[in-house]
Structures are given as structure tokens and as C-alpha cells.
mmCIF file of all heavy atoms in Angstrom:
data_model
loop_
_atom_site.group_PDB
_atom_site.id
_atom_site.type_symbol
_atom_site.label_atom_id
_atom_site.label_comp_id
_atom_site.label_asym_id
_atom_site.label_seq_id
_atom_site.Cartn_x
_atom_site.Cartn_y
_atom_site.Cartn_z
ATOM 1 N N ASP A 92 63.887 9.788 20.712
ATOM 2 C CA ASP A 92 63.150 9.859 21.982
ATOM 3 C C ASP A 92 64.149 9.968 23.132
ATOM 4 O O ASP A 92 64.822 8.996 23.478
ATOM 5 C CB ASP A 92 62.287 8.602 22.127
ATOM 6 C CG ASP A 92 61.308 8.671 23.302
ATOM 7 O OD1 ASP A 92 61.481 9.537 24.179
ATOM 8 O OD2 ASP A 92 60.377 7.840 23.330
ATOM 9 N N VAL A 93 64.260 11.165 23.712
ATOM 10 C CA VAL A 93 65.187 11.413 24.818
ATOM 11 C C VAL A 93 64.376 11.917 26.005
ATOM 12 O O VAL A 93 63.661 12.924 25.896
ATOM 13 C CB VAL A 93 66.266 12.449 24.451
ATOM 14 C CG1 VAL A 93 67.254 12.625 25.596
ATOM 15 C CG2 VAL A 93 66.993 12.032 23.171
ATOM 16 N N ARG A 94 64.476 11.241 27.139
ATOM 17 C CA ARG A 94 63.677 11.567 28.312
ATOM 18 C C ARG A 94 64.579 11.918 29.489
ATOM 19 O O ARG A 94 65.700 11.413 29.593
ATOM 20 C CB ARG A 94 62.763 10.400 28.677
ATOM 21 C CG ARG A 94 61.942 9.893 27.489
ATOM 22 C CD ARG A 94 61.007 8.770 27.868
ATOM 23 N NE ARG A 94 60.418 8.157 26.673
ATOM 24 C CZ ARG A 94 59.439 7.261 26.703
ATOM 25 N NH1 ARG A 94 58.936 6.857 27.876
ATOM 26 N NH2 ARG A 94 58.963 6.749 25.575
ATOM 27 N N PHE A 95 64.063 12.761 30.374
ATOM 28 C CA PHE A 95 64.817 13.208 31.536
ATOM 29 C C PHE A 95 63.946 13.061 32.788
ATOM 30 O O PHE A 95 62.780 13.433 32.776
ATOM 31 C CB PHE A 95 65.225 14.680 31.379
ATOM 32 C CG PHE A 95 66.091 14.947 30.176
ATOM 33 C CD1 PHE A 95 65.527 15.215 28.938
ATOM 34 C CD2 PHE A 95 67.474 14.922 30.278
ATOM 35 C CE1 PHE A 95 66.306 15.453 27.814
ATOM 36 C CE2 PHE A 95 68.277 15.155 29.166
ATOM 37 C CZ PHE A 95 67.684 15.421 27.933
ATOM 38 N N LEU A 96 64.547 12.525 33.853
ATOM 39 C CA LEU A 96 63.809 12.365 35.099
ATOM 40 C C LEU A 96 63.960 13.562 36.030
ATOM 41 O O LEU A 96 63.167 13.711 36.960
ATOM 42 C CB LEU A 96 64.260 11.087 35.821
ATOM 43 C CG LEU A 96 63.920 9.772 35.102
ATOM 44 C CD1 LEU A 96 64.441 8.588 35.920
ATOM 45 C CD2 LEU A 96 62.419 9.650 34.871
ATOM 46 N N GLY A 97 64.981 14.390 35.827
ATOM 47 C CA GLY A 97 65.117 15.610 36.614
ATOM 48 C C GLY A 97 65.614 15.435 38.034
ATOM 49 O O GLY A 97 65.420 16.325 38.873
ATOM 50 N N TYR A 98 66.274 14.321 38.318
ATOM 51 C CA TYR A 98 66.874 14.163 39.651
ATOM 52 C C TYR A 98 68.056 15.120 39.773
ATOM 53 O O TYR A 98 68.679 15.483 38.776
ATOM 54 C CB TYR A 98 67.322 12.717 39.864
ATOM 55 C CG TYR A 98 66.189 11.792 40.267
ATOM 56 C CD1 TYR A 98 65.250 11.363 39.336
ATOM 57 C CD2 TYR A 98 66.050 11.369 41.576
ATOM 58 C CE1 TYR A 98 64.201 10.531 39.698
ATOM 59 C CE2 TYR A 98 65.007 10.530 41.967
ATOM 60 C CZ TYR A 98 64.084 10.116 41.021
ATOM 61 O OH TYR A 98 63.036 9.291 41.390
ATOM 62 N N PRO A 99 68.400 15.537 40.989
ATOM 63 C CA PRO A 99 69.475 16.522 41.159
ATOM 64 C C PRO A 99 70.848 15.972 40.797
ATOM 65 O O PRO A 99 71.259 14.923 41.315
ATOM 66 C CB PRO A 99 69.388 16.896 42.642
ATOM 67 C CG PRO A 99 68.689 15.759 43.300
ATOM 68 C CD PRO A 99 67.743 15.211 42.281
ATOM 69 N N ASP A 100 71.540 16.655 39.920
ATOM 70 C CA ASP A 100 72.869 16.267 39.473
ATOM 71 C C ASP A 100 73.832 16.298 40.657
ATOM 72 O O ASP A 100 73.899 17.280 41.407
ATOM 73 C CB ASP A 100 73.328 17.240 38.386
ATOM 74 C CG ASP A 100 74.632 16.843 37.734
ATOM 75 O OD1 ASP A 100 75.191 15.785 38.081
ATOM 76 O OD2 ASP A 100 75.100 17.608 36.870
ATOM 77 N N GLY A 101 74.584 15.212 40.823
ATOM 78 C CA GLY A 101 75.541 15.122 41.919
ATOM 79 C C GLY A 101 74.974 14.546 43.199
ATOM 80 O O GLY A 101 75.708 14.322 44.163
ATOM 81 N N ARG A 102 73.657 14.266 43.204
ATOM 82 C CA ARG A 102 73.014 13.757 44.427
ATOM 83 C C ARG A 102 72.122 12.556 44.146
ATOM 84 O O ARG A 102 71.164 12.298 44.872
ATOM 85 C CB ARG A 102 72.204 14.875 45.080
ATOM 86 C CG ARG A 102 73.064 15.991 45.677
ATOM 87 C CD ARG A 102 72.199 17.086 46.272
ATOM 88 N NE ARG A 102 71.653 17.960 45.239
ATOM 89 C CZ ARG A 102 70.660 18.840 45.452
ATOM 90 N NH1 ARG A 102 70.100 18.916 46.644
ATOM 91 N NH2 ARG A 102 70.244 19.605 44.463
ATOM 92 N N VAL A 103 72.440 11.810 43.107
ATOM 93 C CA VAL A 103 71.617 10.649 42.760
ATOM 94 C C VAL A 103 71.867 9.518 43.743
ATOM 95 O O VAL A 103 73.013 9.198 44.064
ATOM 96 C CB VAL A 103 71.922 10.168 41.326
ATOM 97 C CG1 VAL A 103 71.085 8.933 40.978
ATOM 98 C CG2 VAL A 103 71.655 11.281 40.322
ATOM 99 N N GLU A 104 70.800 8.919 44.217
ATOM 100 C CA GLU A 104 70.870 7.750 45.086
ATOM 101 C C GLU A 104 69.941 6.671 44.533
ATOM 102 O O GLU A 104 68.941 6.980 43.888
ATOM 103 C CB GLU A 104 70.452 8.106 46.516
ATOM 104 C CG GLU A 104 71.362 9.118 47.191
ATOM 105 C CD GLU A 104 70.907 9.469 48.595
ATOM 106 O OE1 GLU A 104 69.684 9.385 48.866
ATOM 107 O OE2 GLU A 104 71.765 9.801 49.422
ATOM 108 N N ALA A 105 70.274 5.425 44.799
ATOM 109 C CA ALA A 105 69.484 4.298 44.278
ATOM 110 C C ALA A 105 68.263 4.060 45.158
ATOM 111 O O ALA A 105 68.109 3.020 45.796
ATOM 112 C CB ALA A 105 70.355 3.050 44.200
ATOM 113 N N THR A 106 67.367 5.031 45.165
ATOM 114 C CA THR A 106 66.191 4.994 46.016
ATOM 115 C C THR A 106 65.062 4.197 45.365
ATOM 116 O O THR A 106 65.062 3.931 44.161
ATOM 117 C CB THR A 106 65.689 6.417 46.290
ATOM 118 O OG1 THR A 106 65.320 7.016 45.034
ATOM 119 C CG2 THR A 106 66.766 7.252 46.962
ATOM 120 N N LEU A 107 64.050 3.885 46.163
ATOM 121 C CA LEU A 107 62.865 3.237 45.625
ATOM 122 C C LEU A 107 62.154 4.145 44.625
ATOM 123 O O LEU A 107 61.588 3.676 43.637
ATOM 124 C CB LEU A 107 61.920 2.849 46.763
ATOM 125 C CG LEU A 107 62.329 1.608 47.567
ATOM 126 C CD1 LEU A 107 61.420 1.465 48.786
ATOM 127 C CD2 LEU A 107 62.258 0.353 46.708
ATOM 128 N N ASP A 108 62.181 5.454 44.881
ATOM 129 C CA ASP A 108 61.555 6.382 43.942
ATOM 130 C C ASP A 108 62.226 6.316 42.571
ATOM 131 O O ASP A 108 61.552 6.305 41.537
ATOM 132 C CB ASP A 108 61.616 7.814 44.470
ATOM 133 C CG ASP A 108 60.581 8.093 45.550
ATOM 134 O OD1 ASP A 108 59.662 7.259 45.723
ATOM 135 O OD2 ASP A 108 60.686 9.143 46.212
ATOM 136 N N LEU A 109 63.566 6.288 42.572
ATOM 137 C CA LEU A 109 64.270 6.211 41.299
ATOM 138 C C LEU A 109 64.010 4.867 40.622
ATOM 139 O O LEU A 109 63.800 4.809 39.398
ATOM 140 C CB LEU A 109 65.769 6.434 41.500
ATOM 141 C CG LEU A 109 66.625 6.379 40.234
ATOM 142 C CD1 LEU A 109 66.125 7.352 39.168
ATOM 143 C CD2 LEU A 109 68.101 6.670 40.569
ATOM 144 N N ARG A 110 63.987 3.795 41.381
ATOM 145 C CA ARG A 110 63.666 2.484 40.819
ATOM 146 C C ARG A 110 62.280 2.493 40.181
ATOM 147 O O ARG A 110 62.079 1.976 39.073
ATOM 148 C CB ARG A 110 63.753 1.408 41.900
ATOM 149 C CG ARG A 110 65.171 1.078 42.306
ATOM 150 C CD ARG A 110 65.238 0.265 43.585
ATOM 151 N NE ARG A 110 64.463 -0.979 43.535
ATOM 152 C CZ ARG A 110 64.459 -1.880 44.509
ATOM 153 N NH1 ARG A 110 65.203 -1.679 45.602
ATOM 154 N NH2 ARG A 110 63.742 -2.979 44.412
ATOM 155 N N ARG A 111 61.325 3.117 40.857
ATOM 156 C CA ARG A 111 59.968 3.213 40.308
ATOM 157 C C ARG A 111 59.960 4.009 39.003
ATOM 158 O O ARG A 111 59.321 3.615 38.024
ATOM 159 C CB ARG A 111 59.038 3.883 41.314
ATOM 160 C CG ARG A 111 57.598 4.082 40.818
ATOM 161 C CD ARG A 111 56.923 5.199 41.576
ATOM 162 N NE ARG A 111 57.615 6.461 41.382
ATOM 163 C CZ ARG A 111 57.826 7.348 42.361
ATOM 164 N NH1 ARG A 111 57.426 7.112 43.597
ATOM 165 N NH2 ARG A 111 58.458 8.481 42.094
ATOM 166 N N ASP A 112 60.682 5.140 38.984
ATOM 167 C CA ASP A 112 60.666 5.997 37.805
ATOM 168 C C ASP A 112 61.333 5.329 36.604
ATOM 169 O O ASP A 112 60.893 5.509 35.464
ATOM 170 C CB ASP A 112 61.327 7.334 38.122
ATOM 171 C CG ASP A 112 60.495 8.174 39.087
ATOM 172 O OD1 ASP A 112 59.306 7.854 39.289
ATOM 173 O OD2 ASP A 112 61.042 9.149 39.650
ATOM 174 N N ILE A 113 62.387 4.564 36.853
ATOM 175 C CA ILE A 113 63.009 3.812 35.755
ATOM 176 C C ILE A 113 62.112 2.657 35.335
ATOM 177 O O ILE A 113 61.949 2.378 34.137
ATOM 178 C CB ILE A 113 64.409 3.317 36.163
ATOM 179 C CG1 ILE A 113 65.334 4.509 36.452
ATOM 180 C CG2 ILE A 113 65.004 2.440 35.057
ATOM 181 C CD1 ILE A 113 66.679 4.123 37.025
ATOM 182 N N SER A 114 61.486 1.992 36.312
ATOM 183 C CA SER A 114 60.553 0.902 35.992
ATOM 184 C C SER A 114 59.402 1.401 35.130
ATOM 185 O O SER A 114 58.946 0.699 34.209
ATOM 186 C CB SER A 114 59.993 0.288 37.286
ATOM 187 O OG SER A 114 60.995 -0.335 38.046
ATOM 188 N N ARG A 115 58.932 2.602 35.418
ATOM 189 C CA ARG A 115 57.853 3.181 34.613
ATOM 190 C C ARG A 115 58.262 3.255 33.136
ATOM 191 O O ARG A 115 57.504 2.856 32.243
ATOM 192 C CB ARG A 115 57.499 4.577 35.118
ATOM 193 C CG ARG A 115 56.465 5.301 34.232
ATOM 194 C CD ARG A 115 56.184 6.712 34.713
ATOM 195 N NE ARG A 115 55.459 6.719 35.970
ATOM 196 C CZ ARG A 115 55.964 7.104 37.132
ATOM 197 N NH1 ARG A 115 57.238 7.526 37.202
ATOM 198 N NH2 ARG A 115 55.242 7.089 38.228
ATOM 199 N N VAL A 116 59.469 3.744 32.884
ATOM 200 C CA VAL A 116 59.919 3.883 31.497
ATOM 201 C C VAL A 116 60.154 2.515 30.866
ATOM 202 O O VAL A 116 59.853 2.308 29.685
ATOM 203 C CB VAL A 116 61.174 4.778 31.425
ATOM 204 C CG1 VAL A 116 61.670 4.893 29.993
ATOM 205 C CG2 VAL A 116 60.865 6.174 31.985
ATOM 206 N N ILE A 117 60.672 1.564 31.640
ATOM 207 C CA ILE A 117 60.832 0.212 31.109
ATOM 208 C C ILE A 117 59.480 -0.347 30.676
ATOM 209 O O ILE A 117 59.344 -0.926 29.592
ATOM 210 C CB ILE A 117 61.492 -0.705 32.153
ATOM 211 C CG1 ILE A 117 62.972 -0.335 32.340
ATOM 212 C CG2 ILE A 117 61.368 -2.179 31.743
ATOM 213 C CD1 ILE A 117 63.658 -1.079 33.463
ATOM 214 N N ARG A 118 58.460 -0.154 31.490
ATOM 215 C CA ARG A 118 57.137 -0.677 31.137
ATOM 216 C C ARG A 118 56.535 0.080 29.958
ATOM 217 O O ARG A 118 55.752 -0.488 29.187
ATOM 218 C CB ARG A 118 56.209 -0.608 32.351
ATOM 219 C CG ARG A 118 56.611 -1.555 33.471
ATOM 220 C CD ARG A 118 55.568 -1.600 34.557
ATOM 221 N NE ARG A 118 55.997 -2.408 35.697
ATOM 222 C CZ ARG A 118 55.191 -2.777 36.688
ATOM 223 N NH1 ARG A 118 53.917 -2.393 36.675
ATOM 224 N NH2 ARG A 118 55.648 -3.492 37.690
ATOM 225 N N GLN A 119 56.885 1.349 29.812
ATOM 226 C CA GLN A 119 56.399 2.122 28.664
ATOM 227 C C GLN A 119 57.090 1.687 27.372
ATOM 228 O O GLN A 119 56.439 1.484 26.340
ATOM 229 C CB GLN A 119 56.642 3.617 28.895
ATOM 230 C CG GLN A 119 55.766 4.240 29.973
ATOM 231 C CD GLN A 119 56.211 5.641 30.338
ATOM 232 O OE1 GLN A 119 57.363 6.020 30.097
ATOM 233 N NE2 GLN A 119 55.326 6.418 30.940
ATOM 234 N N VAL A 120 58.402 1.542 27.427
ATOM 235 C CA VAL A 120 59.192 1.249 26.230
ATOM 236 C C VAL A 120 59.165 -0.231 25.880
ATOM 237 O O VAL A 120 59.202 -0.613 24.709
ATOM 238 C CB VAL A 120 60.644 1.748 26.428
ATOM 239 C CG1 VAL A 120 61.538 1.353 25.258
ATOM 240 C CG2 VAL A 120 60.660 3.264 26.631
ATOM 241 N N ARG A 121 59.145 -1.097 26.901
ATOM 242 C CA ARG A 121 59.143 -2.548 26.741
ATOM 243 C C ARG A 121 60.349 -3.019 25.917
ATOM 244 O O ARG A 121 60.230 -3.695 24.884
ATOM 245 C CB ARG A 121 57.815 -3.026 26.137
ATOM 246 C CG ARG A 121 56.618 -2.594 26.977
ATOM 247 C CD ARG A 121 55.289 -2.904 26.335
ATOM 248 N NE ARG A 121 54.912 -4.303 26.491
ATOM 249 C CZ ARG A 121 54.383 -4.849 27.606
ATOM 250 N NH1 ARG A 121 54.196 -4.095 28.679
ATOM 251 N NH2 ARG A 121 54.042 -6.109 27.636
ATOM 252 N N PRO A 122 61.552 -2.679 26.377
ATOM 253 C CA PRO A 122 62.764 -2.997 25.611
ATOM 254 C C PRO A 122 63.190 -4.453 25.760
ATOM 255 O O PRO A 122 62.964 -5.082 26.799
ATOM 256 C CB PRO A 122 63.804 -2.073 26.235
ATOM 257 C CG PRO A 122 63.360 -1.954 27.672
ATOM 258 C CD PRO A 122 61.848 -1.961 27.625
ATOM 259 N N GLN A 123 63.822 -4.964 24.723
ATOM 260 C CA GLN A 123 64.475 -6.278 24.822
ATOM 261 C C GLN A 123 65.879 -6.153 25.403
ATOM 262 O O GLN A 123 66.467 -7.148 25.833
ATOM 263 C CB GLN A 123 64.571 -6.939 23.445
ATOM 264 C CG GLN A 123 63.246 -7.413 22.888
ATOM 265 C CD GLN A 123 62.529 -6.315 22.131
ATOM 266 O OE1 GLN A 123 63.130 -5.347 21.674
ATOM 267 N NE2 GLN A 123 61.217 -6.456 21.991
ATOM 268 N N ARG A 124 66.412 -4.941 25.418
ATOM 269 C CA ARG A 124 67.777 -4.739 25.907
ATOM 270 C C ARG A 124 67.853 -3.378 26.595
ATOM 271 O O ARG A 124 67.291 -2.397 26.103
ATOM 272 C CB ARG A 124 68.761 -4.800 24.746
ATOM 273 C CG ARG A 124 70.223 -4.776 25.134
ATOM 274 C CD ARG A 124 71.084 -5.045 23.899
ATOM 275 N NE ARG A 124 70.846 -6.376 23.371
ATOM 276 C CZ ARG A 124 71.138 -6.762 22.136
ATOM 277 N NH1 ARG A 124 71.678 -5.909 21.283
ATOM 278 N NH2 ARG A 124 70.888 -7.996 21.730
ATOM 279 N N VAL A 125 68.560 -3.332 27.729
ATOM 280 C CA VAL A 125 68.779 -2.083 28.469
ATOM 281 C C VAL A 125 70.279 -1.908 28.690
ATOM 282 O O VAL A 125 70.957 -2.859 29.112
ATOM 283 C CB VAL A 125 68.036 -2.080 29.826
ATOM 284 C CG1 VAL A 125 68.376 -0.831 30.624
ATOM 285 C CG2 VAL A 125 66.522 -2.165 29.610
ATOM 286 N N ILE A 126 70.789 -0.737 28.378
ATOM 287 C CA ILE A 126 72.192 -0.408 28.656
ATOM 288 C C ILE A 126 72.230 0.454 29.913
ATOM 289 O O ILE A 126 71.478 1.432 30.032
ATOM 290 C CB ILE A 126 72.840 0.353 27.489
ATOM 291 C CG1 ILE A 126 72.860 -0.504 26.218
ATOM 292 C CG2 ILE A 126 74.264 0.777 27.849
ATOM 293 C CD1 ILE A 126 73.515 0.176 25.026
#
């Protein structure tokens, strides 16, 4: 299972949108560990 968010390479910022999109996957996967 390999997923891509499609943010622009070289222009990533720690925005609320990115936090939301990662949070979405965390809630989907429900991992005990995140690297």
C-alpha cells in the first residue's frame, strides 16, 4: 500500500492542509507506529 498526496516537490510547507491530509491517513490506517 503506497499512497501519494501530490504536494509540489521542493515546495512542501508544514501547513494545516498538510497536517489534515496526514491526519486523514493516520485515521484510516490506525498505526501503532509512525516513521
Side-chain angles (χ1 to χ4, degrees):
D92 189 344
V93 183
R94 309 182 190 189
F95 300 87
L96 294 179
Y98 279 75
D100 187 2
R102 291 178 282 167
V103 179
E104 297 179 332
T106 62
L107 283 172
D108 283 347
L109 180 55
R110 287 167 56 175
R111 178 203 61 221
D112 291 345
I113 298 173
S114 295
R115 174 183 290 110
V116 178
I117 289 173
R118 292 188 185 191
Q119 290 170 339
V120 175
R121 303 173 79 79
Q123 289 87 22
R124 187 172 296 160
V125 175
I126 298 181

